[in-house]
Amino acid sequence: MNDLTLQDITLFRGKHCVARDLSLKFEPGKVHVILGPNGAGKSSLLRALFGEFWPQAGRIAHGEGYLTRETLRQWRKAIGYMPQDTALEASLTALEVVLLGRMDELSFHVDDATLHAAANTMEAAGIAHLASHDILSLSGGQRQLALFAQVLLRDPDILLLDEPVSALDMHHQQKLLDIVHRETRARNRISILILHDLSLAAQYADQLILIGDGELKAAGSPAEVLKADLISRTYGVDVEILTDSAGAPVVRPLRTPHATLHP
Ligand SMILES: Nc1ncnc2c1ncn2[C@@H]1O[C@H](COP(=O)(O)OP(=O)(O)OP(=O)(O)O)[C@@H](O)[C@H]1O
């Protein structure tokens, strides 16, 4: 398996520059987490990797191949992409939604092996009991887990997950990120996630990538990136960095000393 690289990427959304001359390397077998304030350009970067936007300059490469309009179809075959906006309108059961992850190769025929794989994936994600439920009747978190299972069923070389735990409780956040971590290692997959919880990211990421103001603020291990002054400057919040019992950094925002509400 080869590295996925951004090579001197410049990316605009409208008039807003979300990346200028950005170069990054994503290695197989590692979990990479992109961090940054709202509007920093995290989703735009992920969508560019999926070929939904074309950078104004630079190249995106995977091994010998480059992402171009001509290679887009082939490029996407290697990718499992879960967007941030997971709104669904079709009335399908949770199992049918998961099976859509393999639809391109199934020609709408579901064989026993695929059904078995879908059932196993749902079991791993903790939603086996919801298989026959209408997807629209599920809670936001349950739906997020079903869409995660759909992406996982593709067994992609590259996993792109845009805020995959935003609707999940602590238990399911941990379950999903444990699966991502385990499968990234076991399948030598390149996993790139967007998370807002810096401490959660520190527990699971091999590489953290912090972006803001159209530039790369830092990239490296959680201990290298999660420095109090850098986080405070990037997010505009005073923080202190603690260390958990496993040695991972914990980012704790400090409450601003407000004037009292009831003078
Ligand atoms: N369709 C669009 N047209 C023009 N500008 C856009 C469009 N979508 C997003 N933008 C702008 O691009 C910038 C980056 O947006 P993006 O969604 O990539 O940020 P983000 O870091 O993922 O934010 P969040 O954490 O809030 O999800 C923002 O300033 C946003 O306003």
Side-chain angles (χ1 to χ4, degrees), residues 52-82:
E52 281 192 359
F53 299 129
W54 300 97
Q56 278 65 32
R59 294 196 299 189
I60 301 177
H62 184 211
E64 304 289 294
Y66 293 99
L67 173 56
T68 65
R69 287 178 209 280
E70 289 70 38
T71 60
L72 180 59
R73 201 178 155 84
Q74 196 60 28
W75 179 271
R76 284 191 176 168
K77 283 192 176 161
I79 297 181
Y81 169 55
M82 180 174 164

PDB file of all heavy atoms in Angstrom, residues 52-82:
ATOM      1  N   GLU A  52     -14.384  15.741  -4.967  1.00  0.00           N
ATOM      2  CA  GLU A  52     -15.601  16.560  -5.136  1.00  0.00           C
ATOM      3  C   GLU A  52     -15.252  17.992  -5.486  1.00  0.00           C
ATOM      4  O   GLU A  52     -16.077  18.719  -6.028  1.00  0.00           O
ATOM      5  CB  GLU A  52     -16.442  16.530  -3.853  1.00  0.00           C
ATOM      6  CG  GLU A  52     -17.253  15.274  -3.722  1.00  0.00           C
ATOM      7  CD  GLU A  52     -18.298  15.361  -2.630  1.00  0.00           C
ATOM      8  OE1 GLU A  52     -18.399  16.392  -1.952  1.00  0.00           O
ATOM      9  OE2 GLU A  52     -19.007  14.369  -2.462  1.00  0.00           O
ATOM     10  N   PHE A  53     -14.029  18.418  -5.091  1.00  0.00           N
ATOM     11  CA  PHE A  53     -13.532  19.754  -5.452  1.00  0.00           C
ATOM     12  C   PHE A  53     -12.183  19.603  -6.086  1.00  0.00           C
ATOM     13  O   PHE A  53     -11.435  18.699  -5.717  1.00  0.00           O
ATOM     14  CB  PHE A  53     -13.333  20.634  -4.209  1.00  0.00           C
ATOM     15  CG  PHE A  53     -14.572  20.871  -3.448  1.00  0.00           C
ATOM     16  CD1 PHE A  53     -14.597  20.635  -2.093  1.00  0.00           C
ATOM     17  CD2 PHE A  53     -15.697  21.350  -4.077  1.00  0.00           C
ATOM     18  CE1 PHE A  53     -15.740  20.841  -1.384  1.00  0.00           C
ATOM     19  CE2 PHE A  53     -16.850  21.561  -3.363  1.00  0.00           C
ATOM     20  CZ  PHE A  53     -16.869  21.311  -2.017  1.00  0.00           C
ATOM     21  N   TRP A  54     -11.891  20.510  -6.966  1.00  0.00           N
ATOM     22  CA  TRP A  54     -10.584  20.465  -7.618  1.00  0.00           C
ATOM     23  C   TRP A  54      -9.743  21.610  -7.092  1.00  0.00           C
ATOM     24  O   TRP A  54     -10.164  22.772  -7.160  1.00  0.00           O
ATOM     25  CB  TRP A  54     -10.749  20.527  -9.135  1.00  0.00           C
ATOM     26  CG  TRP A  54     -11.566  19.367  -9.588  1.00  0.00           C
ATOM     27  CD1 TRP A  54     -12.902  19.367  -9.839  1.00  0.00           C
ATOM     28  CD2 TRP A  54     -11.123  18.025  -9.728  1.00  0.00           C
ATOM     29  NE1 TRP A  54     -13.322  18.098 -10.150  1.00  0.00           N
ATOM     30  CE2 TRP A  54     -12.244  17.255 -10.103  1.00  0.00           C
ATOM     31  CE3 TRP A  54      -9.885  17.381  -9.600  1.00  0.00           C
ATOM     32  CZ2 TRP A  54     -12.178  15.887 -10.335  1.00  0.00           C
ATOM     33  CZ3 TRP A  54      -9.819  16.017  -9.841  1.00  0.00           C
ATOM     34  CH2 TRP A  54     -10.951  15.288 -10.202  1.00  0.00           C
ATOM     35  N   PRO A  55      -8.567  21.293  -6.560  1.00  0.00           N
ATOM     36  CA  PRO A  55      -7.692  22.354  -6.067  1.00  0.00           C
ATOM     37  C   PRO A  55      -7.300  23.298  -7.202  1.00  0.00           C
ATOM     38  O   PRO A  55      -7.223  22.875  -8.361  1.00  0.00           O
ATOM     39  CB  PRO A  55      -6.455  21.594  -5.565  1.00  0.00           C
ATOM     40  CG  PRO A  55      -6.850  20.179  -5.450  1.00  0.00           C
ATOM     41  CD  PRO A  55      -7.988  19.953  -6.390  1.00  0.00           C
ATOM     42  N   GLN A  56      -7.086  24.566  -6.842  1.00  0.00           N
ATOM     43  CA  GLN A  56      -6.670  25.547  -7.852  1.00  0.00           C
ATOM     44  C   GLN A  56      -5.211  25.313  -8.232  1.00  0.00           C
ATOM     45  O   GLN A  56      -4.768  25.700  -9.303  1.00  0.00           O
ATOM     46  CB  GLN A  56      -6.843  26.976  -7.302  1.00  0.00           C
ATOM     47  CG  GLN A  56      -8.271  27.501  -7.406  1.00  0.00           C
ATOM     48  CD  GLN A  56      -9.273  26.727  -6.557  1.00  0.00           C
ATOM     49  OE1 GLN A  56      -8.929  26.223  -5.492  1.00  0.00           O
ATOM     50  NE2 GLN A  56     -10.506  26.637  -7.023  1.00  0.00           N
ATOM     51  N   ALA A  57      -4.455  24.702  -7.328  1.00  0.00           N
ATOM     52  CA  ALA A  57      -3.059  24.377  -7.634  1.00  0.00           C
ATOM     53  C   ALA A  57      -2.661  23.149  -6.831  1.00  0.00           C
ATOM     54  O   ALA A  57      -3.275  22.838  -5.811  1.00  0.00           O
ATOM     55  CB  ALA A  57      -2.157  25.561  -7.276  1.00  0.00           C
ATOM     56  N   GLY A  58      -1.635  22.459  -7.302  1.00  0.00           N
ATOM     57  CA  GLY A  58      -1.115  21.300  -6.589  1.00  0.00           C
ATOM     58  C   GLY A  58      -1.721  19.997  -7.062  1.00  0.00           C
ATOM     59  O   GLY A  58      -2.604  19.986  -7.935  1.00  0.00           O
ATOM     60  N   ARG A  59      -1.236  18.894  -6.472  1.00  0.00           N
ATOM     61  CA  ARG A  59      -1.707  17.575  -6.902  1.00  0.00           C
ATOM     62  C   ARG A  59      -2.015  16.688  -5.701  1.00  0.00           C
ATOM     63  O   ARG A  59      -1.432  16.845  -4.630  1.00  0.00           O
ATOM     64  CB  ARG A  59      -0.626  16.886  -7.734  1.00  0.00           C
ATOM     65  CG  ARG A  59      -0.363  17.602  -9.034  1.00  0.00           C
ATOM     66  CD  ARG A  59       0.401  16.729  -9.996  1.00  0.00           C
ATOM     67  NE  ARG A  59       1.717  16.345  -9.483  1.00  0.00           N
ATOM     68  CZ  ARG A  59       2.628  15.729 -10.225  1.00  0.00           C
ATOM     69  NH1 ARG A  59       2.356  15.408 -11.475  1.00  0.00           N
ATOM     70  NH2 ARG A  59       3.804  15.415  -9.713  1.00  0.00           N
ATOM     71  N   ILE A  60      -2.913  15.751  -5.926  1.00  0.00           N
ATOM     72  CA  ILE A  60      -3.220  14.742  -4.917  1.00  0.00           C
ATOM     73  C   ILE A  60      -2.814  13.403  -5.511  1.00  0.00           C
ATOM     74  O   ILE A  60      -3.252  13.051  -6.616  1.00  0.00           O
ATOM     75  CB  ILE A  60      -4.711  14.758  -4.551  1.00  0.00           C
ATOM     76  CG1 ILE A  60      -5.106  16.140  -4.008  1.00  0.00           C
ATOM     77  CG2 ILE A  60      -5.021  13.674  -3.517  1.00  0.00           C
ATOM     78  CD1 ILE A  60      -6.582  16.293  -3.686  1.00  0.00           C
ATOM     79  N   ALA A  61      -1.960  12.683  -4.796  1.00  0.00           N
ATOM     80  CA  ALA A  61      -1.410  11.447  -5.354  1.00  0.00           C
ATOM     81  C   ALA A  61      -1.579  10.291  -4.392  1.00  0.00           C
ATOM     82  O   ALA A  61      -1.579  10.462  -3.157  1.00  0.00           O
ATOM     83  CB  ALA A  61       0.077  11.648  -5.665  1.00  0.00           C
ATOM     84  N   HIS A  62      -1.753   9.100  -4.973  1.00  0.00           N
ATOM     85  CA  HIS A  62      -1.773   7.863  -4.191  1.00  0.00           C
ATOM     86  C   HIS A  62      -0.865   6.892  -4.930  1.00  0.00           C
ATOM     87  O   HIS A  62      -1.228   6.420  -6.005  1.00  0.00           O
ATOM     88  CB  HIS A  62      -3.204   7.320  -4.088  1.00  0.00           C
ATOM     89  CG  HIS A  62      -3.325   6.119  -3.219  1.00  0.00           C
ATOM     90  ND1 HIS A  62      -4.252   5.133  -3.427  1.00  0.00           N
ATOM     91  CD2 HIS A  62      -2.620   5.740  -2.139  1.00  0.00           C
ATOM     92  CE1 HIS A  62      -4.118   4.204  -2.512  1.00  0.00           C
ATOM     93  NE2 HIS A  62      -3.133   4.555  -1.712  1.00  0.00           N
ATOM     94  N   GLY A  63       0.297   6.636  -4.340  1.00  0.00           N
ATOM     95  CA  GLY A  63       1.275   5.809  -5.041  1.00  0.00           C
ATOM     96  C   GLY A  63       1.668   6.471  -6.339  1.00  0.00           C
ATOM     97  O   GLY A  63       2.018   7.650  -6.377  1.00  0.00           O
ATOM     98  N   GLU A  64       1.543   5.713  -7.423  1.00  0.00           N
ATOM     99  CA  GLU A  64       1.925   6.228  -8.745  1.00  0.00           C
ATOM    100  C   GLU A  64       0.800   7.063  -9.371  1.00  0.00           C
ATOM    101  O   GLU A  64       1.017   7.744 -10.367  1.00  0.00           O
ATOM    102  CB  GLU A  64       2.222   5.053  -9.703  1.00  0.00           C
ATOM    103  CG  GLU A  64       3.274   4.088  -9.221  1.00  0.00           C
ATOM    104  CD  GLU A  64       4.652   4.703  -9.257  1.00  0.00           C
ATOM    105  OE1 GLU A  64       5.119   4.987 -10.364  1.00  0.00           O
ATOM    106  OE2 GLU A  64       5.225   4.908  -8.169  1.00  0.00           O
ATOM    107  N   GLY A  65      -0.411   6.954  -8.796  1.00  0.00           N
ATOM    108  CA  GLY A  65      -1.571   7.574  -9.446  1.00  0.00           C
ATOM    109  C   GLY A  65      -1.875   8.970  -8.925  1.00  0.00           C
ATOM    110  O   GLY A  65      -1.584   9.310  -7.770  1.00  0.00           O
ATOM    111  N   TYR A  66      -2.462   9.783  -9.792  1.00  0.00           N
ATOM    112  CA  TYR A  66      -2.888  11.130  -9.414  1.00  0.00           C
ATOM    113  C   TYR A  66      -4.398  11.243  -9.561  1.00  0.00           C
ATOM    114  O   TYR A  66      -4.996  10.576 -10.413  1.00  0.00           O
ATOM    115  CB  TYR A  66      -2.214  12.183 -10.301  1.00  0.00           C
ATOM    116  CG  TYR A  66      -0.733  12.264 -10.073  1.00  0.00           C
ATOM    117  CD1 TYR A  66       0.148  11.617 -10.933  1.00  0.00           C
ATOM    118  CD2 TYR A  66      -0.219  12.960  -8.986  1.00  0.00           C
ATOM    119  CE1 TYR A  66       1.517  11.671 -10.705  1.00  0.00           C
ATOM    120  CE2 TYR A  66       1.142  13.017  -8.757  1.00  0.00           C
ATOM    121  CZ  TYR A  66       2.008  12.369  -9.622  1.00  0.00           C
ATOM    122  OH  TYR A  66       3.348  12.409  -9.385  1.00  0.00           O
ATOM    123  N   LEU A  67      -4.973  12.100  -8.729  1.00  0.00           N
ATOM    124  CA  LEU A  67      -6.407  12.355  -8.828  1.00  0.00           C
ATOM    125  C   LEU A  67      -6.653  13.381  -9.935  1.00  0.00           C
ATOM    126  O   LEU A  67      -6.208  14.528  -9.841  1.00  0.00           O
ATOM    127  CB  LEU A  67      -6.932  12.870  -7.480  1.00  0.00           C
ATOM    128  CG  LEU A  67      -8.375  13.339  -7.439  1.00  0.00           C
ATOM    129  CD1 LEU A  67      -9.335  12.257  -7.914  1.00  0.00           C
ATOM    130  CD2 LEU A  67      -8.755  13.764  -6.015  1.00  0.00           C
ATOM    131  N   THR A  68      -7.316  12.936 -10.985  1.00  0.00           N
ATOM    132  CA  THR A  68      -7.683  13.839 -12.085  1.00  0.00           C
ATOM    133  C   THR A  68      -9.122  13.506 -12.476  1.00  0.00           C
ATOM    134  O   THR A  68      -9.671  12.495 -12.021  1.00  0.00           O
ATOM    135  CB  THR A  68      -6.791  13.606 -13.335  1.00  0.00           C
ATOM    136  OG1 THR A  68      -7.061  12.278 -13.825  1.00  0.00           O
ATOM    137  CG2 THR A  68      -5.314  13.743 -13.027  1.00  0.00           C
ATOM    138  N   ARG A  69      -9.681  14.317 -13.344  1.00  0.00           N
ATOM    139  CA  ARG A  69     -11.050  14.015 -13.807  1.00  0.00           C
ATOM    140  C   ARG A  69     -11.094  12.664 -14.507  1.00  0.00           C
ATOM    141  O   ARG A  69     -12.071  11.935 -14.413  1.00  0.00           O
ATOM    142  CB  ARG A  69     -11.539  15.121 -14.747  1.00  0.00           C
ATOM    143  CG  ARG A  69     -11.858  16.404 -13.991  1.00  0.00           C
ATOM    144  CD  ARG A  69     -12.305  17.521 -14.915  1.00  0.00           C
ATOM    145  NE  ARG A  69     -11.946  18.823 -14.362  1.00  0.00           N
ATOM    146  CZ  ARG A  69     -12.629  19.458 -13.412  1.00  0.00           C
ATOM    147  NH1 ARG A  69     -13.713  18.925 -12.941  1.00  0.00           N
ATOM    148  NH2 ARG A  69     -12.225  20.619 -12.943  1.00  0.00           N
ATOM    149  N   GLU A  70     -10.009  12.318 -15.164  1.00  0.00           N
ATOM    150  CA  GLU A  70      -9.957  11.049 -15.906  1.00  0.00           C
ATOM    151  C   GLU A  70      -9.843   9.852 -14.951  1.00  0.00           C
ATOM    152  O   GLU A  70     -10.373   8.780 -15.235  1.00  0.00           O
ATOM    153  CB  GLU A  70      -8.754  11.026 -16.866  1.00  0.00           C
ATOM    154  CG  GLU A  70      -8.865  11.952 -18.069  1.00  0.00           C
ATOM    155  CD  GLU A  70      -8.756  13.416 -17.681  1.00  0.00           C
ATOM    156  OE1 GLU A  70      -7.962  13.747 -16.780  1.00  0.00           O
ATOM    157  OE2 GLU A  70      -9.510  14.234 -18.261  1.00  0.00           O
ATOM    158  N   THR A  71      -9.145  10.033 -13.835  1.00  0.00           N
ATOM    159  CA  THR A  71      -8.920   8.889 -12.928  1.00  0.00           C
ATOM    160  C   THR A  71      -9.945   8.834 -11.798  1.00  0.00           C
ATOM    161  O   THR A  71      -9.893   7.937 -10.955  1.00  0.00           O
ATOM    162  CB  THR A  71      -7.503   8.961 -12.291  1.00  0.00           C
ATOM    163  OG1 THR A  71      -7.401  10.181 -11.536  1.00  0.00           O
ATOM    164  CG2 THR A  71      -6.414   8.898 -13.344  1.00  0.00           C
ATOM    165  N   LEU A  72     -10.861   9.800 -11.774  1.00  0.00           N
ATOM    166  CA  LEU A  72     -11.771   9.945 -10.631  1.00  0.00           C
ATOM    167  C   LEU A  72     -12.544   8.662 -10.301  1.00  0.00           C
ATOM    168  O   LEU A  72     -12.617   8.249  -9.140  1.00  0.00           O
ATOM    169  CB  LEU A  72     -12.751  11.096 -10.907  1.00  0.00           C
ATOM    170  CG  LEU A  72     -13.778  11.376  -9.815  1.00  0.00           C
ATOM    171  CD1 LEU A  72     -13.099  11.726  -8.495  1.00  0.00           C
ATOM    172  CD2 LEU A  72     -14.706  12.514 -10.223  1.00  0.00           C
ATOM    173  N   ARG A  73     -13.089   8.031 -11.312  1.00  0.00           N
ATOM    174  CA  ARG A  73     -13.910   6.839 -11.082  1.00  0.00           C
ATOM    175  C   ARG A  73     -13.095   5.731 -10.407  1.00  0.00           C
ATOM    176  O   ARG A  73     -13.529   5.143  -9.414  1.00  0.00           O
ATOM    177  CB  ARG A  73     -14.452   6.360 -12.446  1.00  0.00           C
ATOM    178  CG  ARG A  73     -15.663   5.506 -12.352  1.00  0.00           C
ATOM    179  CD  ARG A  73     -16.105   5.150 -13.781  1.00  0.00           C
ATOM    180  NE  ARG A  73     -16.846   3.917 -13.780  1.00  0.00           N
ATOM    181  CZ  ARG A  73     -18.127   3.826 -13.530  1.00  0.00           C
ATOM    182  NH1 ARG A  73     -18.812   4.917 -13.260  1.00  0.00           N
ATOM    183  NH2 ARG A  73     -18.733   2.666 -13.535  1.00  0.00           N
ATOM    184  N   GLN A  74     -11.929   5.487 -10.938  1.00  0.00           N
ATOM    185  CA  GLN A  74     -11.036   4.473 -10.389  1.00  0.00           C
ATOM    186  C   GLN A  74     -10.560   4.876  -8.989  1.00  0.00           C
ATOM    187  O   GLN A  74     -10.498   4.063  -8.063  1.00  0.00           O
ATOM    188  CB  GLN A  74      -9.837   4.307 -11.344  1.00  0.00           C
ATOM    189  CG  GLN A  74      -9.028   3.041 -11.119  1.00  0.00           C
ATOM    190  CD  GLN A  74      -9.869   1.779 -11.300  1.00  0.00           C
ATOM    191  OE1 GLN A  74     -10.842   1.785 -12.045  1.00  0.00           O
ATOM    192  NE2 GLN A  74      -9.510   0.723 -10.575  1.00  0.00           N
ATOM    193  N   TRP A  75     -10.250   6.155  -8.849  1.00  0.00           N
ATOM    194  CA  TRP A  75      -9.766   6.714  -7.579  1.00  0.00           C
ATOM    195  C   TRP A  75     -10.774   6.443  -6.465  1.00  0.00           C
ATOM    196  O   TRP A  75     -10.421   6.006  -5.384  1.00  0.00           O
ATOM    197  CB  TRP A  75      -9.563   8.229  -7.784  1.00  0.00           C
ATOM    198  CG  TRP A  75      -9.080   8.986  -6.584  1.00  0.00           C
ATOM    199  CD1 TRP A  75      -9.842   9.568  -5.615  1.00  0.00           C
ATOM    200  CD2 TRP A  75      -7.716   9.258  -6.231  1.00  0.00           C
ATOM    201  NE1 TRP A  75      -9.054  10.195  -4.692  1.00  0.00           N
ATOM    202  CE2 TRP A  75      -7.736  10.017  -5.043  1.00  0.00           C
ATOM    203  CE3 TRP A  75      -6.487   8.941  -6.811  1.00  0.00           C
ATOM    204  CZ2 TRP A  75      -6.585  10.463  -4.418  1.00  0.00           C
ATOM    205  CZ3 TRP A  75      -5.330   9.391  -6.175  1.00  0.00           C
ATOM    206  CH2 TRP A  75      -5.377  10.135  -4.999  1.00  0.00           C
ATOM    207  N   ARG A  76     -12.030   6.677  -6.776  1.00  0.00           N
ATOM    208  CA  ARG A  76     -13.062   6.535  -5.740  1.00  0.00           C
ATOM    209  C   ARG A  76     -13.302   5.087  -5.317  1.00  0.00           C
ATOM    210  O   ARG A  76     -13.836   4.835  -4.236  1.00  0.00           O
ATOM    211  CB  ARG A  76     -14.382   7.159  -6.221  1.00  0.00           C
ATOM    212  CG  ARG A  76     -14.337   8.661  -6.143  1.00  0.00           C
ATOM    213  CD  ARG A  76     -15.693   9.262  -6.354  1.00  0.00           C
ATOM    214  NE  ARG A  76     -15.650  10.700  -6.171  1.00  0.00           N
ATOM    215  CZ  ARG A  76     -16.627  11.526  -6.507  1.00  0.00           C
ATOM    216  NH1 ARG A  76     -17.712  11.054  -7.083  1.00  0.00           N
ATOM    217  NH2 ARG A  76     -16.517  12.818  -6.284  1.00  0.00           N
ATOM    218  N   LYS A  77     -12.903   4.152  -6.171  1.00  0.00           N
ATOM    219  CA  LYS A  77     -13.093   2.741  -5.815  1.00  0.00           C
ATOM    220  C   LYS A  77     -12.296   2.366  -4.582  1.00  0.00           C
ATOM    221  O   LYS A  77     -12.646   1.435  -3.863  1.00  0.00           O
ATOM    222  CB  LYS A  77     -12.679   1.847  -6.989  1.00  0.00           C
ATOM    223  CG  LYS A  77     -13.712   1.806  -8.073  1.00  0.00           C
ATOM    224  CD  LYS A  77     -13.445   0.727  -9.072  1.00  0.00           C
ATOM    225  CE  LYS A  77     -14.595   0.697 -10.079  1.00  0.00           C
ATOM    226  NZ  LYS A  77     -14.273   0.038 -11.302  1.00  0.00           N
ATOM    227  N   ALA A  78     -11.192   3.084  -4.370  1.00  0.00           N
ATOM    228  CA  ALA A  78     -10.321   2.772  -3.227  1.00  0.00           C
ATOM    229  C   ALA A  78     -10.802   3.445  -1.949  1.00  0.00           C
ATOM    230  O   ALA A  78     -10.236   3.220  -0.877  1.00  0.00           O
ATOM    231  CB  ALA A  78      -8.896   3.219  -3.545  1.00  0.00           C
ATOM    232  N   ILE A  79     -11.841   4.284  -2.062  1.00  0.00           N
ATOM    233  CA  ILE A  79     -12.204   5.163  -0.942  1.00  0.00           C
ATOM    234  C   ILE A  79     -13.564   4.818  -0.322  1.00  0.00           C
ATOM    235  O   ILE A  79     -14.534   4.546  -1.032  1.00  0.00           O
ATOM    236  CB  ILE A  79     -12.229   6.635  -1.422  1.00  0.00           C
ATOM    237  CG1 ILE A  79     -10.815   7.050  -1.866  1.00  0.00           C
ATOM    238  CG2 ILE A  79     -12.719   7.561  -0.319  1.00  0.00           C
ATOM    239  CD1 ILE A  79     -10.724   8.481  -2.330  1.00  0.00           C
ATOM    240  N   GLY A  80     -13.603   4.846   0.982  1.00  0.00           N
ATOM    241  CA  GLY A  80     -14.871   4.825   1.704  1.00  0.00           C
ATOM    242  C   GLY A  80     -15.039   6.191   2.331  1.00  0.00           C
ATOM    243  O   GLY A  80     -14.247   6.568   3.199  1.00  0.00           O
ATOM    244  N   TYR A  81     -16.016   6.952   1.870  1.00  0.00           N
ATOM    245  CA  TYR A  81     -16.172   8.348   2.337  1.00  0.00           C
ATOM    246  C   TYR A  81     -17.503   8.514   3.058  1.00  0.00           C
ATOM    247  O   TYR A  81     -18.567   8.221   2.513  1.00  0.00           O
ATOM    248  CB  TYR A  81     -16.092   9.282   1.119  1.00  0.00           C
ATOM    249  CG  TYR A  81     -16.497  10.712   1.390  1.00  0.00           C
ATOM    250  CD1 TYR A  81     -15.895  11.452   2.405  1.00  0.00           C
ATOM    251  CD2 TYR A  81     -17.468  11.337   0.613  1.00  0.00           C
ATOM    252  CE1 TYR A  81     -16.259  12.775   2.642  1.00  0.00           C
ATOM    253  CE2 TYR A  81     -17.837  12.659   0.836  1.00  0.00           C
ATOM    254  CZ  TYR A  81     -17.223  13.373   1.856  1.00  0.00           C
ATOM    255  OH  TYR A  81     -17.591  14.670   2.087  1.00  0.00           O
ATOM    256  N   MET A  82     -17.417   8.986   4.273  1.00  0.00           N
ATOM    257  CA  MET A  82     -18.633   9.263   5.048  1.00  0.00           C
ATOM    258  C   MET A  82     -18.708  10.777   5.277  1.00  0.00           C
ATOM    259  O   MET A  82     -17.915  11.334   6.031  1.00  0.00           O
ATOM    260  CB  MET A  82     -18.542   8.542   6.390  1.00  0.00           C
ATOM    261  CG  MET A  82     -19.731   8.750   7.285  1.00  0.00           C
ATOM    262  SD  MET A  82     -19.550   7.697   8.755  1.00  0.00           S
ATOM    263  CE  MET A  82     -20.753   8.457   9.827  1.00  0.00           C
TER     264      MET A  82
END
